[in-house]
Amino acid sequence: AQTVTQSQPEMSVQEAETVTLSCTYDTSESDYYLFWYKQPPSRQMILVIRQEAYKQQNATENRFSVNFQKAAKSFSLKISDSQLGDAAMYFCAYRSALGTGNQFYFGTGTSLTVIP
Amino acid sequence: ETGVTQSPTHLIKTRGQQVTLRCSSQSGHNTVSWYQQALGQGPQFIFQYYREEENGRGNFPPRFSGLQFPNYSSELNVNALELDDSALYLCASSLFYDPRETQYFGPGTRLLVL
């Protein structure tokens, strides 16, 4: 089974600064999708960014970007110009591209604090 | 576009009881997945429903069961509740036949088993 590891239980960043959250995963598959989800204290999970494994180009969404290293099975999230609203729990997730009806595998999360 | 909704938001049960949680999928979505999120942990996949049938199941016992209705809404049923079932239960909807489509989550139901 696939596993997703987030080795940073907690991170903090000064407002307007940049922070990077780490994620590694273990899989024998070559085709898959990776995601970062944000879960604010209100608890609704919100998609931040998605990366297809077959794409070499790193995904970006406004202030959010990823560093996808397929050989190293690493998928980090960079948040630029951090804002108070970025404070939340961030989850890295993996989904196989093989077949249909595939489940998501989530890491244990990184709690991000933004310091004013 | 209507988002994913879940009910109730909070629930308190005692050990041995049964509980039913409900989920309405996002407009246009035909697949519903259920996840259990224990405190301080990431969500764990329970099962997925498509065309009113279970389509994939995680490592959960049979006392966790579900239903999907023709309007794609879904229920999660848990029998013989145990203390360890206390968690946030998340529902996520998606389109089955597009593997690139991500899952959109509801706000969850917080279940406390005493």
Side-chain angles (χ1 to χ4, degrees), chain B residues 45-60:
Chain B
F45 176 73
I46 302 174
F47 45 54
Q48 182 182 86
Y49 274 81
Y50 170 63
R51 286 187 175 178
E52 303 175 44
E53 291 190 356
E54 187 179 290
N55 179 68
R57 187 179 185 93
N59 189 26
F60 281 82

Side-chain angles (χ1 to χ4, degrees), chain A residues 39-91:
Chain A
Q39 189 176 41
S42 67
R43 79 183 179 220
Q44 186 149 10
M45 299 270 277
I46 303 166
L47 176 66
V48 175
I49 199 164
R50 174 178 62 200
Q51 174 81 42
E52 290 89 344
Y54 63 85
K55 290 186 177 179
Q56 292 186 338
Q57 186 174 6
N58 289 323
T60 61
E61 288 286 343
N62 301 315
R63 298 182 295 107
F64 299 88
S65 62
V66 300
N67 183 5
F68 173 48
Q69 301 290 327
K70 190 172 184 179
K73 298 180 182 176
S74 171
F75 182 61
S76 61
L77 174 69
K78 186 171 81 171
I79 306 174
S80 304
D81 185 26
S82 296
Q83 301 175 359
L84 295 178
D86 295 333
M89 184 73 90
Y90 286 81
F91 291 97

Side-chain angles (χ1 to χ4, degrees), chain A residues 95-103, chain B residues 48 50 55-56 95-99:
Chain A
R95 179 183 181 183
S96 173
L98 300 176
T100 57
N102 295 309
Q103 64 172 291
Chain B
Q48 182 182 86
Y50 170 63
N55 179 68
L95 277 170
F96 184 80
Y97 42 80
D98 183 357

Side-chain angles (χ1 to χ4, degrees), chain A residues 1 5 7 10-11 24-25 36 42 47-48 53 58-59 65 68 85 97-98 102 104 106 108 112 116:
Chain A
T5 302
S7 59
E10 297 178 346
M11 292 283 284
T24 59
Y25 56 94
W36 279 98
S42 67
L47 176 66
V48 175
N58 289 323
S65 62
F68 173 48
L98 300 176
N102 295 309
F104 279 49
F106 285 87
T108 52
L112 179 66

